[in-house]
Amino acid sequence: MVQKLSRRLGLQTNPVIFSVSAGLTVVFVVASIAFTDAIDALFGSASAWILTKLGWFYILGVTTFLIFLVGLALTRYGRVRLGGKDQRPEYGTLTWFAMLFAAGIGTILMFWGVAEPISHFAEPPQGDVRPQSVAAAEQAMAYTLYHFGLHTWTIFCLPALAFAYFIYKRGLPVRVSSIFHPFLGDRINGPIGRVIDITAVMGTLFGVAVSLGLGTLQINSGLSALFGVPESKTSQVVIIAVITLIAVTSVSLGLDKGVRRLSNINIVMAVGLLLFIIVTGAPLYLVRGVIESVGIYASWLIPLSFWNDTFSHSGWQGDWTVFYWAWTITWSPFVGIFIARISKGRTIRQFIFGVLGLPTAFTIIWFSVFGLSAFNIQMNGPGGLVHAVVDQQDIPGALFAFLENYPLTTLVSGFAVVIVAIFFTTSSDSASLVVDMLCSGSETAGPVRQRVFWAVTEGVVAATLLAATGQSGLDALTEVIIVVGLPFFVIGFLMMVALVRALTTDCRQPRSPEIAP
């Protein structure tokens, strides 16, 4: 019956994965609207239990993934080429970096660039540190870079490497279930494989929806500052509808005409904003600060990688680190497939060090410039950022409160809103393409109607998470994603075992032709 309906609709996808994923999404949306209090209570209780009992598992998981990747790159398997033995990279290093930048960190940079450093500066997470002091500034930068540096890119790198290996070395379909081929064999095409793929599609939808929700909150805050648009659920639903319409248009145009053009525009605009802050701010102070931030990050990296808030048990990690790791890992299949596609022909060593190193370097620069500039405004300038962001709990408005301290405030704030909106759009249309691939198992783009369906679905889920709950938008997004992220950590550990098994099997000979010279 499902297959007949799929043929009648002209769909080119796996009908079971597509229909079950779509059906579960509809059930969630309807249940959230019809039983708001019950759904809130369910996710609230589940997330509270996970934070209390399993927060350590999230922390340990990402650090373990990082150690595994670095170790793998340094072994002889690091010379294995992702593709045929004569395959070479399709993109040069600079182009590859630009595409990595567009894939994973756009919304993160814009939303948290000011908000996280100033939050930790006002309320230091650890120890008896005086708020808004030099020690607080150092701790704030350490935690911010921990959250958005190597660990975030580890979450993207592991599934991306697994996708690249099993798709380009073993010729398997573009599905998460392909990664489990060493365990399941051809059963990846059966019921177990479908369950894995449906889970991946649902997780990706929710992960992208959270990103869209955060972007919506920030756009709403910017429009409020510029034009007095009320910060309300109604405004947020309208914003999601407008941006989703733009995303649908981009998806209809395809990867080259739509997504790629928007991504290129986005990169230029974001770098332009970064340069504006440097030039019109305190250039020498920022140059010195960026260098110092590298040292801060290096000295704090190992302790924070294993910190579990064991002694104070303040709950801080649940609101910050665990939320980040859960959110990031749910949309890692989407980013992972994108990175895999643009990395064909590179060796595993080039892949790992490139995906971990290049974006992390840019992240250090970005957060250092925005974070240190915020500290400078608070300590040596007119101040007011702590009050606006922390005291009034206006995380989405942090960037716009920050920009009030720079020339051409209205123009630059409008420019920032446009950047966020484009990041929002590229996240939605890129995710639509990838979700469609996860359902079809093919790199070839399916009919436009399929991609449009997923773009609209992402917007509907984001609107539901923000509007059809009895909580504030950020709280609702946090609770849902902590719950959804749990199975993905289990999958992450299985990915490591699958990669080792596959590499051991495929490269048994000491001088295997699969290993690049």
Side-chain angles (χ1 to χ4, degrees), residues 226-254:
L226 289 170
F227 307 112
V229 174
E231 295 187 57
S232 65
K233 292 184 176 182
T234 301
S235 299
Q236 290 155 14
V237 170
V238 171
I239 292 168
I240 289 176
V242 172
I243 300 297
T244 299
L245 179 61
I246 299 172
V248 165
T249 304
S250 178
V251 162
S252 301
L253 292 173

mmCIF file of all heavy atoms in Angstrom, residues 226-254:
data_model
loop_
_atom_site.group_PDB
_atom_site.id
_atom_site.type_symbol
_atom_site.label_atom_id
_atom_site.label_comp_id
_atom_site.label_asym_id
_atom_site.label_seq_id
_atom_site.Cartn_x
_atom_site.Cartn_y
_atom_site.Cartn_z
ATOM 1 N N LEU A 226 15.341 46.927 15.979
ATOM 2 C CA LEU A 226 15.355 47.825 14.823
ATOM 3 C C LEU A 226 14.008 48.497 14.574
ATOM 4 O O LEU A 226 13.941 49.689 14.285
ATOM 5 C CB LEU A 226 15.770 47.038 13.569
ATOM 6 C CG LEU A 226 17.232 46.599 13.499
ATOM 7 C CD1 LEU A 226 17.430 45.623 12.347
ATOM 8 C CD2 LEU A 226 18.154 47.802 13.334
ATOM 9 N N PHE A 227 12.935 47.698 14.658
ATOM 10 C CA PHE A 227 11.633 48.196 14.229
ATOM 11 C C PHE A 227 10.532 48.065 15.277
ATOM 12 O O PHE A 227 9.371 48.359 14.998
ATOM 13 C CB PHE A 227 11.181 47.450 12.957
ATOM 14 C CG PHE A 227 12.203 47.465 11.852
ATOM 15 C CD1 PHE A 227 12.837 46.291 11.471
ATOM 16 C CD2 PHE A 227 12.546 48.650 11.211
ATOM 17 C CE1 PHE A 227 13.790 46.288 10.455
ATOM 18 C CE2 PHE A 227 13.498 48.661 10.198
ATOM 19 C CZ PHE A 227 14.113 47.483 9.815
ATOM 20 N N GLY A 228 10.889 47.606 16.459
ATOM 21 C CA GLY A 228 9.886 47.480 17.507
ATOM 22 C C GLY A 228 8.953 46.301 17.340
ATOM 23 O O GLY A 228 7.864 46.262 17.943
ATOM 24 N N VAL A 229 9.332 45.310 16.526
ATOM 25 C CA VAL A 229 8.502 44.118 16.349
ATOM 26 C C VAL A 229 8.440 43.370 17.683
ATOM 27 O O VAL A 229 9.487 43.084 18.284
ATOM 28 C CB VAL A 229 9.090 43.197 15.259
ATOM 29 C CG1 VAL A 229 8.298 41.890 15.172
ATOM 30 C CG2 VAL A 229 9.097 43.918 13.917
ATOM 31 N N PRO A 230 7.240 43.063 18.191
ATOM 32 C CA PRO A 230 7.153 42.405 19.503
ATOM 33 C C PRO A 230 7.821 41.037 19.515
ATOM 34 O O PRO A 230 7.737 40.288 18.522
ATOM 35 C CB PRO A 230 5.639 42.278 19.734
ATOM 36 C CG PRO A 230 5.028 42.376 18.380
ATOM 37 C CD PRO A 230 5.915 43.280 17.591
ATOM 38 N N GLU A 231 8.495 40.714 20.611
ATOM 39 C CA GLU A 231 9.110 39.396 20.761
ATOM 40 C C GLU A 231 8.057 38.451 21.335
ATOM 41 O O GLU A 231 7.881 38.351 22.545
ATOM 42 C CB GLU A 231 10.339 39.477 21.667
ATOM 43 C CG GLU A 231 11.462 40.326 21.080
ATOM 44 C CD GLU A 231 12.733 40.263 21.896
ATOM 45 O OE1 GLU A 231 13.237 39.137 22.101
ATOM 46 O OE2 GLU A 231 13.219 41.321 22.330
ATOM 47 N N SER A 232 7.362 37.769 20.447
ATOM 48 C CA SER A 232 6.237 36.920 20.841
ATOM 49 C C SER A 232 6.216 35.664 19.983
ATOM 50 O O SER A 232 6.887 35.579 18.951
ATOM 51 C CB SER A 232 4.916 37.679 20.649
ATOM 52 O OG SER A 232 4.698 37.946 19.271
ATOM 53 N N LYS A 233 5.428 34.698 20.416
ATOM 54 C CA LYS A 233 5.319 33.456 19.654
ATOM 55 C C LYS A 233 4.693 33.701 18.286
ATOM 56 O O LYS A 233 5.057 33.041 17.306
ATOM 57 C CB LYS A 233 4.507 32.433 20.448
ATOM 58 C CG LYS A 233 5.224 31.955 21.709
ATOM 59 C CD LYS A 233 4.461 30.874 22.435
ATOM 60 C CE LYS A 233 5.270 30.366 23.635
ATOM 61 N NZ LYS A 233 4.580 29.276 24.361
ATOM 62 N N THR A 234 3.773 34.639 18.229
ATOM 63 C CA THR A 234 3.160 34.966 16.937
ATOM 64 C C THR A 234 4.198 35.495 15.955
ATOM 65 O O THR A 234 4.263 35.063 14.794
ATOM 66 C CB THR A 234 2.042 36.012 17.117
ATOM 67 O OG1 THR A 234 1.050 35.500 18.001
ATOM 68 C CG2 THR A 234 1.400 36.357 15.781
ATOM 69 N N SER A 235 5.031 36.432 16.419
ATOM 70 C CA SER A 235 6.087 36.971 15.564
ATOM 71 C C SER A 235 7.036 35.872 15.110
ATOM 72 O O SER A 235 7.475 35.834 13.946
ATOM 73 C CB SER A 235 6.871 38.058 16.308
ATOM 74 O OG SER A 235 6.040 39.135 16.667
ATOM 75 N N GLN A 236 7.371 34.957 16.019
ATOM 76 C CA GLN A 236 8.319 33.901 15.703
ATOM 77 C C GLN A 236 7.764 32.931 14.663
ATOM 78 O O GLN A 236 8.486 32.484 13.765
ATOM 79 C CB GLN A 236 8.718 33.164 16.988
ATOM 80 C CG GLN A 236 9.572 34.024 17.900
ATOM 81 C CD GLN A 236 9.496 33.638 19.360
ATOM 82 O OE1 GLN A 236 8.997 32.551 19.704
ATOM 83 N NE2 GLN A 236 9.959 34.517 20.245
ATOM 84 N N VAL A 237 6.468 32.628 14.750
ATOM 85 C CA VAL A 237 5.849 31.754 13.754
ATOM 86 C C VAL A 237 5.855 32.424 12.378
ATOM 87 O O VAL A 237 6.125 31.784 11.353
ATOM 88 C CB VAL A 237 4.415 31.371 14.175
ATOM 89 C CG1 VAL A 237 3.690 30.677 13.020
ATOM 90 C CG2 VAL A 237 4.439 30.474 15.398
ATOM 91 N N VAL A 238 5.572 33.730 12.346
ATOM 92 C CA VAL A 238 5.589 34.466 11.074
ATOM 93 C C VAL A 238 6.998 34.464 10.476
ATOM 94 O O VAL A 238 7.177 34.259 9.269
ATOM 95 C CB VAL A 238 5.082 35.910 11.277
ATOM 96 C CG1 VAL A 238 5.306 36.744 10.011
ATOM 97 C CG2 VAL A 238 3.603 35.912 11.653
ATOM 98 N N ILE A 239 8.009 34.686 11.324
ATOM 99 C CA ILE A 239 9.400 34.683 10.849
ATOM 100 C C ILE A 239 9.752 33.326 10.257
ATOM 101 O O ILE A 239 10.340 33.227 9.171
ATOM 102 C CB ILE A 239 10.365 35.046 11.993
ATOM 103 C CG1 ILE A 239 10.177 36.516 12.393
ATOM 104 C CG2 ILE A 239 11.815 34.781 11.584
ATOM 105 C CD1 ILE A 239 10.877 36.883 13.683
ATOM 106 N N ILE A 240 9.389 32.251 10.959
ATOM 107 C CA ILE A 240 9.667 30.905 10.453
ATOM 108 C C ILE A 240 8.976 30.681 9.112
ATOM 109 O O ILE A 240 9.552 30.117 8.174
ATOM 110 C CB ILE A 240 9.225 29.839 11.473
ATOM 111 C CG1 ILE A 240 10.167 29.841 12.682
ATOM 112 C CG2 ILE A 240 9.204 28.443 10.831
ATOM 113 C CD1 ILE A 240 9.765 28.886 13.776
ATOM 114 N N ALA A 241 7.738 31.149 8.992
ATOM 115 C CA ALA A 241 6.992 30.967 7.743
ATOM 116 C C ALA A 241 7.672 31.682 6.582
ATOM 117 O O ALA A 241 7.817 31.126 5.483
ATOM 118 C CB ALA A 241 5.559 31.473 7.917
ATOM 119 N N VAL A 242 8.121 32.919 6.821
ATOM 120 C CA VAL A 242 8.765 33.696 5.755
ATOM 121 C C VAL A 242 10.089 33.057 5.336
ATOM 122 O O VAL A 242 10.374 32.882 4.137
ATOM 123 C CB VAL A 242 8.985 35.153 6.204
ATOM 124 C CG1 VAL A 242 9.836 35.907 5.183
ATOM 125 C CG2 VAL A 242 7.652 35.859 6.403
ATOM 126 N N ILE A 243 10.902 32.703 6.319
ATOM 127 C CA ILE A 243 12.207 32.120 5.997
ATOM 128 C C ILE A 243 12.050 30.747 5.346
ATOM 129 O O ILE A 243 12.800 30.379 4.432
ATOM 130 C CB ILE A 243 13.079 32.016 7.262
ATOM 131 C CG1 ILE A 243 13.310 33.403 7.861
ATOM 132 C CG2 ILE A 243 14.413 31.368 6.935
ATOM 133 C CD1 ILE A 243 14.062 34.364 6.968
ATOM 134 N N THR A 244 11.067 29.973 5.805
ATOM 135 C CA THR A 244 10.820 28.668 5.184
ATOM 136 C C THR A 244 10.419 28.835 3.726
ATOM 137 O O THR A 244 10.828 28.043 2.862
ATOM 138 C CB THR A 244 9.723 27.906 5.946
ATOM 139 O OG1 THR A 244 10.148 27.689 7.302
ATOM 140 C CG2 THR A 244 9.446 26.555 5.299
ATOM 141 N N LEU A 245 9.643 29.869 3.437
ATOM 142 C CA LEU A 245 9.265 30.146 2.049
ATOM 143 C C LEU A 245 10.503 30.432 1.195
ATOM 144 O O LEU A 245 10.624 29.944 0.062
ATOM 145 C CB LEU A 245 8.301 31.335 1.991
ATOM 146 C CG LEU A 245 7.826 31.755 0.583
ATOM 147 C CD1 LEU A 245 7.067 30.615 -0.083
ATOM 148 C CD2 LEU A 245 6.934 32.995 0.689
ATOM 149 N N ILE A 246 11.434 31.206 1.749
ATOM 150 C CA ILE A 246 12.684 31.482 1.035
ATOM 151 C C ILE A 246 13.484 30.191 0.849
ATOM 152 O O ILE A 246 14.048 29.934 -0.219
ATOM 153 C CB ILE A 246 13.527 32.527 1.798
ATOM 154 C CG1 ILE A 246 12.759 33.853 1.915
ATOM 155 C CG2 ILE A 246 14.867 32.748 1.101
ATOM 156 C CD1 ILE A 246 13.437 34.868 2.812
ATOM 157 N N ALA A 247 13.513 29.360 1.902
ATOM 158 C CA ALA A 247 14.245 28.093 1.820
ATOM 159 C C ALA A 247 13.641 27.182 0.764
ATOM 160 O O ALA A 247 14.360 26.503 0.025
ATOM 161 C CB ALA A 247 14.238 27.399 3.182
ATOM 162 N N VAL A 248 12.318 27.158 0.683
ATOM 163 C CA VAL A 248 11.641 26.342 -0.321
ATOM 164 C C VAL A 248 12.037 26.793 -1.724
ATOM 165 O O VAL A 248 12.291 25.985 -2.619
ATOM 166 C CB VAL A 248 10.114 26.415 -0.144
ATOM 167 C CG1 VAL A 248 9.386 25.885 -1.375
ATOM 168 C CG2 VAL A 248 9.693 25.621 1.087
ATOM 169 N N THR A 249 12.117 28.104 -1.922
ATOM 170 C CA THR A 249 12.545 28.637 -3.220
ATOM 171 C C THR A 249 13.957 28.201 -3.546
ATOM 172 O O THR A 249 14.263 27.774 -4.660
ATOM 173 C CB THR A 249 12.465 30.178 -3.218
ATOM 174 O OG1 THR A 249 11.137 30.589 -2.888
ATOM 175 C CG2 THR A 249 12.843 30.738 -4.575
ATOM 176 N N SER A 250 14.848 28.283 -2.546
ATOM 177 C CA SER A 250 16.236 27.877 -2.748
ATOM 178 C C SER A 250 16.337 26.389 -3.046
ATOM 179 O O SER A 250 17.083 25.964 -3.927
ATOM 180 C CB SER A 250 17.065 28.232 -1.507
ATOM 181 O OG SER A 250 18.396 27.820 -1.651
ATOM 182 N N VAL A 251 15.571 25.577 -2.304
ATOM 183 C CA VAL A 251 15.573 24.135 -2.525
ATOM 184 C C VAL A 251 15.100 23.810 -3.938
ATOM 185 O O VAL A 251 15.640 22.935 -4.612
ATOM 186 C CB VAL A 251 14.662 23.441 -1.485
ATOM 187 C CG1 VAL A 251 14.297 22.043 -1.941
ATOM 188 C CG2 VAL A 251 15.368 23.370 -0.142
ATOM 189 N N SER A 252 14.105 24.536 -4.408
ATOM 190 C CA SER A 252 13.561 24.291 -5.747
ATOM 191 C C SER A 252 14.598 24.574 -6.833
ATOM 192 O O SER A 252 14.604 23.944 -7.889
ATOM 193 C CB SER A 252 12.318 25.152 -5.980
ATOM 194 O OG SER A 252 11.321 24.859 -5.014
ATOM 195 N N LEU A 253 15.490 25.530 -6.565
ATOM 196 C CA LEU A 253 16.526 25.880 -7.542
ATOM 197 C C LEU A 253 17.645 24.843 -7.600
ATOM 198 O O LEU A 253 18.352 24.744 -8.597
ATOM 199 C CB LEU A 253 17.114 27.256 -7.220
ATOM 200 C CG LEU A 253 16.179 28.448 -7.416
ATOM 201 C CD1 LEU A 253 16.828 29.719 -6.888
ATOM 202 C CD2 LEU A 253 15.806 28.606 -8.885
ATOM 203 N N GLY A 254 17.805 24.079 -6.510
ATOM 204 C CA GLY A 254 18.829 23.050 -6.493
ATOM 205 C C GLY A 254 20.094 23.486 -5.789
ATOM 206 O O GLY A 254 20.240 24.626 -5.356
#
